[in-house]
Amino acid sequence: MRDADAAQRVQRAMSGLDRRAFLPPEQHRFADADQPLPIGHHATCSQPSTVARMLTLLDARPGQRVLDVGSGSGWTTAILAELVAPGGEVVGVELEPALVATGRANLAAVGVTAVIEPAVPGALGLPLRAPFERILVSAESRGLPHALVDQLTDGGRMVAPVGGRLVVADLTGGELTTRTLGTYRFVPLRQP
């Protein structure tokens, strides 16, 4: 039942945010297509069905602190902000300076309260702002990024593409459990 509730909340949040507002003008005509779209700087705005699946698995709730790794155009950051309202906080982190500026401008244009920070050289995620109750990773790594697991609070969850599969990692009582689902393709996760 919890998955069905999470899926409904994600669909409502996604429906309330036009993907077009997070795409370059030349991609606007494809905004409703269920496919990843280029946003420049070797990055994409992920496929809507994949975003919905990842966010449903993440199960972000009102009042939670969330880290959005690889925030890109700010679309997932904005959706997450809707999911954790009221009282939650979303911080996006992005490696490409131009996308930091674009993501911030997109969030301001749609009136969403969230923050996008530039990646810190030598650090994956935002360890100085940790811990987070939820972490969404929108770039693929070869192995589970333990530097991000270390930024989870106890009871926290991370959803990340790892080796072509989605991994859901839960930290409970200091113990990490993972499960893998489906087959997915993402841009590679790069270290700052």
Side-chain angles (χ1 to χ4, degrees), residues 15-185:
S15 297
L17 288 164
D18 187 356
R19 187 182 186 208
R20 194 169 280 101
F22 298 89
L23 294 171
E26 66 273 12
Q27 297 298 327
H28 285 184
R29 64 190 169 136
F30 304 113
D32 295 328
D34 190 27
Q35 65 186 49
L37 297 173
I39 57 172
H41 310 280
H42 308 289
T44 62
C45 182
S46 296
Q47 181 173 340
S49 61
T50 300
V51 169
R53 180 71 174 138
M54 291 178 77
L55 293 177
T56 298
L57 291 167
L58 191 66
D59 193 24
R61 299 260 166 190
Q64 291 182 328
R65 292 188 76 232
V66 181
L67 178 64
D68 184 16
V69 178
S71 56
S73 68
W75 187 46
T76 53
T77 309
I79 298 166
L80 285 164
E82 295 294 316
L83 290 170
V84 301
E89 177 188 9
V90 178
V91 182
V93 63
E94 175 54 53
L95 186 61
E96 290 293 335
L99 289 177
V100 171
T102 297
R104 286 174 172 172
N106 290 342
L107 291 175
V110 297
V112 170
T113 303
V115 177
I116 296 178
E117 299 289 345
V120 177
L124 186 58
L126 290 173
L128 296 179
R129 297 208 41 189
F132 299 94
E133 291 160 291
R134 297 289 188 265
I135 298 176
L136 178 71
V137 185
S138 296
E140 184 173 347
S141 60
R142 290 185 180 159
L144 190 66
H146 287 282
L148 293 175
V149 171
D150 292 343
Q151 294 172 49
L152 280 174
T153 187
D154 191 49
R157 174 177 286 179
M158 178 173 68
V159 175
V162 178
R165 313 274 317 260
L166 278 186
V167 173
V168 179
D170 289 298
L171 185 64
T172 307
E175 295 292 321
L176 183 69
T177 58
T178 62
R179 56 189 165 113
T180 59
L181 303 122
T183 303
Y184 296 87
R185 286 187 50 169

